[in-house]
Structure formats: C-alpha cells, structure tokens
Amino acid sequence: MAVQRKICLLGDFAVGKTSLVRRFVYDLFDDNYISTIGVKVSRKTVAVPRDGNIVELTMMLWDLASSEAFDRMRSTYLRGAAGAVLVCDLTRPETLDVLRARAADLRDANPDARLVVAANKCDLAEQQRLTPAQVEAAAAELDIPYYITSAKTGGEVEALFRRLGRMLVS
Ligand code: GDP
Ligand code: MG
C-alpha cells in the first residue's frame, strides 16, 4: 500500500526547519544561512510498518522561507496538512513560545493533524538556554512527542521523522 501525506515544517525563523529537511532528505548540512524564497516542497518515501504490513509513505515536506511568508500564506500553507514538525531552537527560549502558537494554528486548521516537536541545535552545548526539562514540560502540555535534535550532526533527525511517519499511517 502506498500513501502520500502533506507535512508542514513550523517554527520561528532560523530554528533549523530547512536544515532538518535537508538532513532527512539529502543527509546534508550547510552552516551558511540559506533563506529560501516562498515555499519549497521536498519529498521522501519511507517504509512504515502498520499491523504487520509495510506502508510506502511519501512524505511531502513543506518548508516556508520566512515568517513573513507564513503570515502571508498561512491558510494555503496549512491547508491539507496531515502532520507537522514543530521546531524550536535550544539556544533561543522564545522560540518555544512561537512553537506553541504554531501548534495552535495547525490544530485550528486540522484538529486531526499528527505533530512532533524537534528541539534543535543540541550540538551547541555551551549555548543551550532551554533545558530538556522545559522542552519536556512544553511537549507534555501540548501532548506531542518530542526529540532533542541536531540537523548538524544528524542526531535524532531520522528518529523524529520516522516517528511522525508511524503516526501518519496508524
Ligand atoms: P529555518 O529558518 O528554520 O529554516 O532555519 P535554517 O535551517 O535555515 O537554519 C538557520 C541557521 O541555523 C543556519 O545557519 C543553520 O546552519 C543553523 N542550524 C540549523 N540547524 C542547526 C543545528 O542543529 N546545529 C547548529 N549548530 N546549527 C544549526
Ligand atoms: Mg528555512
């Protein structure tokens, strides 16, 4: 069986949305800040187990260039999204507030959406301003599974997207 699902990357600017997609889809990372224009859709097909069978899930990963683009395109962007990766940056606590706001936006657009949290940039150990406990508390309050990720090293990136994949076919 083969299915296709729209997944939105959501979160404040520069938290690592584009880098997480790039790591997951191409296994690459770039330290240069590349601000994409408009919206980019990347595609990756993964084999996901369901009830003893394998589902071929094509993840259509929607990634917006900027916060301005989100404000402008919000309803188009969120429409039809089956899931989302909500990203915050462990070095910037305020990005957790933006994450909460985006979770509410997506749940407004689709109450059935499957969500995962990526608390990103865990490789920047000295600059951490959000503790794992704070991330855990926020995720628990939202009732969303969370992963402490690094798009730079690849840490937990595969696990994050695979978890979302399983949630999307269950
Ligand atoms: P976006 O605006 O949310 O799409 O963020 P980007 O993916 O463009 O990343 C913003 C900046 O953070 C870029 O300079 C990236 O190289 C950097 N970045 C993203 N993820 C990580 C990470 O896990 N670790 C580190 N050290 N830098 C990261
Ligand atoms: Mg980006």
Side-chain angles (χ1 to χ4, degrees):
M1 193 196 168
V3 295
Q4 186 170 301
R5 295 282 183 270
K6 173 177 175 178
I7 296 156
C8 289
L9 273 290
L10 292 171
D12 206 354
F13 70 93
V15 291
K17 300 179 295 294
T18 301
S19 299
L20 286 166
V21 171
R22 196 166 147 76
R23 169 61 70 196
F24 177 58
V25 176
Y26 305 108
D27 201 17
L28 289 174
F29 179 79
D30 202 325
D31 262 307
N32 299 315
Y33 190 100
I34 303 166
S35 180
T36 25
I37 296 176
V39 58
K40 185 173 178 195
V41 183
S42 308
R43 182 170 58 185
K44 181 161 173 167
T45 301
V46 291
V48 185
R50 180 179 63 188
D51 309 330
N53 295 312
I54 296 290
V55 178
E56 292 285 321
L57 169 67
T58 297
M59 305 176 98
M60 307 294 295
L61 300 161
W62 287 51
D63 180 31
L64 275 181
S66 63
S67 334
E68 297 76 60
F70 181 77
D71 294 338
R72 232 178 330 108
M73 301 174 56
R74 173 189 305 245
S75 58
T76 310
Y77 186 61
L78 299 179
R79 188 175 307 129
V85 179
L86 299 161
V87 189
C88 67
D89 178 341
L90 290 165
T91 71
R92 290 187 293 147
E94 69 278 11
T95 62
L96 197 52
D97 300 324
V98 176
L99 183 154
R100 287 193 190 89
R102 291 297 93 86
D105 289 337
L106 185 59
R107 281 174 164 163
D108 273 352
N110 176 10
D112 295 329
R114 309 297 163 93
L115 307 176
V116 289
V117 165
N120 193 41
K121 307 196 188 181
C122 70
D123 59 285
L124 297 175
E126 263 96 89
Q127 295 163 52
Q128 309 280 287
R129 300 285 177 277
L130 273 173
T131 64
Q134 284 173 293
V135 174
E136 183 176 9
E141 197 180 306
L142 292 164
D143 196 21
I144 302 174
Y146 75 96
Y147 290 82
I148 306 281
T149 61
S150 169
K152 183 164 188 168
T153 67
E156 291 287 88
V157 174
E158 188 78 21
L160 167 91
F161 282 100
R162 292 208 164 264
R163 174 69 169 273
L164 181 59
R166 290 198 303 277
M167 290 163 69
L168 285 167
V169 302
S170 72

